[in-house]
Each structure stands twice: as structure tokens, then as C-alpha cells.
Amino acid sequence: MPEFMYAATSPAEDLKGVTLERYIRSEELKHPGARGFFSRLVSQICLAAKIINAEVNKAGLVEILGLTGKKNIQGEEVQKLDEYANEVFRRALDHTGYVSALASEEMDEPYLIPGDFVDDGQYVVVYDPLDGSSNIDVNVSIGSIFSILRRRSPGNGPTTMEDFLQPGAAQLCAGYVIYGSSTMLVYTSGRGVHGFTLDPSVGEFFLSHPDIQIPPRGRIYSINEGNSAYWHDEVARYIAHLKAEDKASGRPYSGRYIGSLVADFHRNLLKGGVFLYPGDKKSKTGKLRLLYECNPMAFIVEQAGGAATDGTRRILEIQPGKLHQRVPLVIGSRDDVAEATRFLQGEAG
Ligand code: AHM
Ligand code: MG
């Protein structure tokens, strides 16, 4: 059905099938005074996603086409896919005029966009360009994660580290792209969570999952059980609880762990459940990064009715101390996260 048949003010369900750009624009029109910056930013992220998607789909051909981190047929060093994805994001975002700096898992320090390309640098963007990249070689779903923040320092002065080190509650928009059996972009700007599926035949994302709500309780747990030798007792007791039979409360749960945060999170978002990457005796703060892995997912899950904690604090309230900071993560269905928290705090089990 042609897009123009939908009214801009229709509820999300009625907008099913519209393009991502049209959807964001219609949201923006609801805010008098909005200058369209935001929709252009998300459009650029959408472009980056399409380019990365095209390369990810060729991943099985990397030995032939390059992007291996090895030498190509001419004997030249070729880029790894995660470094390539980082470059794609950088180029998609460095000429918008509204972004003053970028930070990414692939860059030790923020990338400050040259002043010539910044008219009104109100925003900074943090991203993980290709999360779960150890799964590329085995054709398992991977993803990109992003988060948009408004700068705290004055728009015309230099970007400071404080512009990045904001609690997740300050995020204006966060999302991820999953390169799976189909490619989807899921995002929130604080007005619900919406999922768009890429139609590869026309190269557009269409609204396919309006207003996603995570079930209040699921029957899936996701954790790397290979780390169980290092788990604290509280974590071990919680996982044992989920595996014990109790028909009334739907236990035992199913264990599902892909090893790609985006894919594990996406499944649990749609089906319900809990994902944990806890701190343990080996890695005190777990593995996942606060700014561009945990915060975006926490914003999304809360908007979908779920919850995210590090075991003691709401993820979105943590004041980051450094750019690449790691935090323990427990995220998913509201009641599952509440129960996990009771175990982790020693109040249950
Ligand atoms: P990466 O950013 O280096 O890809 O690492 C993050 C990934 C997540 O996608 C995933 O949840 C986690 O690492 C899996 O780690 P592990 O293999 O230790 O279970
Ligand atoms: Mg990552």
C-alpha cells in the first residue's frame, strides 16, 4: 500500500509498512519547533546499516573479496569487517552538521569532527559498529548498536569527555540493527520501541514491529555457562533456580545463548526472558560496555516495559567514569530482572 495513504498522526499500528524515514518524520512533526536534525541523523544511521548489511551478507566471501584482516590477492592488508563498519558509521555521521564528535568501541578516543563540518554540533553519537563480531565467520547473527546524546558543553566550543560521560537516562535515542535471517533496525526515542525490517529488494526499512512490548516474564535465560567456574554464589543460585522444575512458575526455563548481545537481546525482547553478563571472580565488572552496549539496550528495554540493572543499580542511572567502562548487565522481562536482583542481592535462594 502506498505510504501517502497513512496519516502522520495515526497510531503506530496504523503506520505499519511505512518507511523508517517517514515514520521518524511523522514523529518529529508532532513536536512543534523540531528542525528535522534528528530524522536526518537517524537516516544517516540507517544508511550506515544498509552498507554494513551488504558487507555482512558477503562475509562468507571475505577470503575472496577482502575484509579479512589478512592480505588480499595483491598482497595488500585488507580491513577487518568491524573496522570497516566503524569507518562506515564515521563517514555516515561526520558531515551531518549536527554531530560534533563520535565515540565507538573500535576507537580508543572520541573522534572530534572537524569544525568545517559542524554547523550546530548539538549531538554526540556513541556506537558499537559490529557487536558479536566473533560470530561473523560462522554465519551467526551480529549487530550494530548506537546511542545519541545531546551535548552538555556549549554547541560552538570544543566537545569534552563530559559530553559522552552522561548517564543512560540522558539518551535521546538508542537503537540496534540486527543482521540476522532478516535485517532489522529497532530504536526508541523515548516514545516506545519500534522495529523496522529491511526489504532487500528495494533497500528500505519498513515498520514491521510497532510498539514492541517485552512480556513481563519469560521462560528463557541467556548467560555464558562456560564462565560458571568463576560465578559468584548468588549468580549460581539464581541460574540453578531457573533450571529447577516448578510447573506453577514455568520452570525450568530454556537456556538460549548466541554470544551476540544484539541477537540474544532481540530474541528476549520479543519472547521475554532474561540475559545476564554478570561480574564474576575473573572479570569483576563483566564484559559489556556501559556507553554503547548496556545503555542503549537498557533504554530500549525500559521503553518496552522491561528492566536493566547491574545487580544493584538501574543501568540508566549509572554515572559513567570512562568511555569504555564495563558494567555487569542483567536485562530483560520486568519480573525476571526483579527476581534476578533478589538473588544477586542475597535476598532469595
Ligand atoms: P564484542 O563487542 O567484542 O563483540 O563483545 C561483545 C559480545 C556481545 O555481543 C556478547 O553478548 C558477548 O560479547 C559474548 O561474550 P562471551 O563470548 O564472553 O560470552
Ligand atoms: Mg561489542
Side-chain angles (χ1 to χ4, degrees), residues 105 128 131-133 224 257 259-261 275 277 287-288 293:
E105 178 165 1
D128 183 351
D131 183 63
S133 50
N224 184 342
Y257 191 73
S260 276
L261 174 64
F275 172 98
Y277 211 116
K287 177 179 183 189
L288 300 175
E293 293 177 327

Side-chain angles (χ1 to χ4, degrees), residues 103-130:
S104 142
E105 178 165 1
E106 294 296 324
M107 303 188 287
D108 291 343
E109 299 295 332
Y111 173 73
L112 305 181
I113 295 174
D116 294 355
F117 302 140
V118 183
D119 301 325
D120 186 5
Q122 300 182 17
Y123 304 109
V124 295
V125 182
V126 288
Y127 55 91
D128 183 351
L130 210 56

Side-chain angles (χ1 to χ4, degrees), residues 69-335:
K70 300 177 191 155
K71 292 196 163 73
N72 68 12
I73 207 149
Q74 281 88 28
E76 299 156 343
E77 287 289 335
V78 288
Q79 245 181 340
K80 288 184 183 160
L81 201 48
D82 42 11
E83 287 163 12
Y84 173 82
N86 188 54
E87 243 351 71
V88 170
F89 261 93
R90 192 172 65 77
R91 288 194 197 159
L93 293 168
D94 71 358
H95 279 65
T96 64
Y98 322 122
V99 179
S100 67
L102 305 167
S104 142
E105 178 165 1
E106 294 296 324
M107 303 188 287
D108 291 343
E109 299 295 332
Y111 173 73
L112 305 181
I113 295 174
D116 294 355
F117 302 140
V118 183
D119 301 325
D120 186 5
Q122 300 182 17
Y123 304 109
V124 295
V125 182
V126 288
Y127 55 91
D128 183 351
L130 210 56
D131 183 63
S133 50
S134 62
N135 282 314
I136 296 170
D137 293 346
V138 289
N139 213 348
V140 167
S141 299
I142 48 181
S144 302
I145 312 172
F146 61 89
S147 161
I148 303 174
L149 295 156
R150 191 183 299 282
R151 277 180 64 174
R152 281 180 162 171
S153 56
N156 296 327
T159 313
T160 65
M161 194 51 93
E162 276 56 50
D163 294 326
F164 290 101
L165 300 182
Q166 302 189 45
Q171 293 172 103
L172 297 176
C173 175
Y176 62 83
V177 183
I178 176 165
Y179 310 103
S181 43
S182 61
T183 294
M184 274 187 77
L185 189 149
V186 176
Y187 90 99
T188 184
S189 55
R191 295 167 58 90
V193 178
H194 310 292
F196 299 78
T197 301
L198 180 66
D199 179 344
S201 63
V202 290
E204 277 288 359
F205 284 98
F206 293 96
L207 181 62
S208 53
H209 295 64
D211 224 345
I212 298 171
Q213 291 288 313
I214 186 168
R217 185 177 271 279
R219 289 187 172 188
I220 292 174
Y221 75 96
S222 314
I223 189 168
N224 184 342
E225 299 232 27
N227 291 332
S228 59
Y230 310 116
W231 287 350
H232 296 300
D233 293 345
E234 293 79 1
V235 173
R237 278 197 287 271
Y238 175 56
I239 300 300
H241 168 78
L242 296 181
K243 287 156 79 168
E245 190 177 20
D246 177 40
K247 291 214 171 75
S249 61
R251 289 180 288 129
Y253 278 25
S254 288
R256 293 281 184 275
Y257 191 73
I258 296 169
S260 276
L261 174 64
V262 172
D264 280 309
F265 177 82
H266 184 70
R267 180 202 53 241
N268 291 5
L269 180 68
L270 298 184
K271 294 195 163 190
V274 59
F275 172 98
L276 300 95
Y277 211 116
D280 62 27
K281 291 170 196 158
K282 206 166 143 207
S283 313
K284 214 171 127 235
T285 49
K287 177 179 183 189
L288 300 175
R289 316 286 187 148
L290 176 58
L291 286 181
Y292 42 80
E293 293 177 327
C294 303
N295 273 344
M297 296 316 200
F299 189 17
I300 292 169
V301 87
E302 286 200 4
Q303 282 290 313
T309 173
D310 71 347
T312 54
R313 298 169 293 179
R314 180 178 166 229
I315 291 289
L316 294 182
E317 285 174 5
I318 299 174
Q319 172 59 51
K322 50 185 187 175
L323 201 54
H324 299 289
Q325 178 173 341
R326 299 176 200 268
V327 284
L329 178 66
V330 180
I331 190 165
S333 293
R334 187 194 60 208
D335 295 351

